[in-house]
Amino acid sequence: MTKWTASDIVDQSGRTFVVTGANSGLGEVAARALAKAGAHVVLACRNTHKGEVVARSIGDNAEVRRLDLSDLASVREFAAGVDSVDVLVNNAGVMAVPQRKTADGFEMQIGTNHLGHFALTGLLLGKITDRVATMSSAAHQAGTIHLDDLNWEHRKYNRWSAYGQSKLANLLFTYELQRRLAAAGSPVTAVAAHPGYASTNLQAHTESVQDKLMAVGNRIFAQSAEMGALPMLFAATAPGVIGGSYIGPDGLFEQRGHPKVVGSNKKSRDEQTAKGLWSLSEDLTGVEYRFG
């Protein structure tokens, strides 16, 4: 059977994609592939200088708009400037950073990876025509949602546990969003993806000796960013992708390979936790979703 690649992306002419974190890494690769397929791509970046460099190299199909997911004021400003979008690609994220807070007082990883994207999706939902694709990670397997201490105010901070919590939140959010969209009879679908072990600059910002260790791992074990972006590109563009799907690599332990539908753990399918996280996320962000 032929393996799906970026060359299999169907014609996206006339369609608009918003890709968060598109100034580097998997987001940049995805933006380039989408633009090559004819889409108009909005590079939603905190670092607009880097974004402009990427956009100029892509050409007329790309534009840059500032978005800082760790600042809800920036999220609201960005969303207000978007008229219509076919596909929202929630790609940006931080990984295993030291303990610090967002502009709104959230723990940085849950604040950026989940709450920022939760707010962005809610603010754009009435303008989205096709689907919401959100990047999770195999690290969701190590995550636990603490609804009574989502922002690590009462526990000793652990950077990797915080990352796992944020990636588990991405899946709980995706599955709950799909349930709510389906219940409302919406044509919009929600899907998720993970890149396996892909070599990107995400592994270079832990501000610890782990940066050097992961740099070695990137050179020896990781697949390319081009391969790592394929599950998200498939989730965002492939016709017939079922809402609530989770797409990852087809290789051993889902670490590398071409896109396929994969499974996620029991915690990610806990509907009570998903509802609790949804309610808490609306309270924390002040963004209330409206369906129908």
Side-chain angles (χ1 to χ4, degrees), residues 95-100 109 157-160 201-216:
M95 183 179 75
V97 296
Q99 187 171 21
R100 58 172 63 103
Q109 296 191 77
Y157 181 73
N158 180 289
R159 64 176 75 206
W160 286 105
N201 61 2
L202 184 66
Q203 293 96 335
H205 295 286
T206 68
E207 300 176 33
S208 72
V209 69
Q210 295 177 54
D211 288 348
K212 294 181 179 179
L213 296 174
M214 287 188 287
V216 174

Side-chain angles (χ1 to χ4, degrees), residues 53-154:
V53 172
V54 174
R56 285 196 296 270
S57 70
I58 291 175
D60 293 341
N61 281 5
E63 65 170 298
V64 178
R65 297 188 190 179
R66 186 177 185 279
L67 171 65
D68 183 350
L69 288 161
S70 68
D71 184 346
L72 291 178
S74 175
V75 174
R76 290 182 178 279
E77 182 178 4
F78 175 88
V82 175
D83 294 325
S84 178
V85 56
D86 294 286
V87 180
L88 170 61
V89 180
N90 290 325
N91 162 80
V94 294
M95 183 179 75
V97 296
Q99 187 171 21
R100 58 172 63 103
K101 294 183 177 181
T102 69
D104 303 281
F106 309 138
E107 184 275 317
M108 183 61 71
Q109 296 191 77
I110 197 72
T112 302
N113 299 351
H114 168 62
L115 292 171
H117 280 126
F118 179 92
L120 177 65
T121 304
L123 292 167
L124 289 178
L125 191 59
K127 306 174 184 180
I128 297 171
T129 67
D130 185 1
R131 67 187 83 170
V132 177
T134 299
M135 186 71 87
S136 183
S137 166
H140 84 271
Q141 301 278 359
T144 299
I145 301 295
H146 290 265
L147 294 176
D148 59 346
D149 190 23
L150 195 69
N151 288 297
W152 294 82
E153 295 169 322
H154 308 297

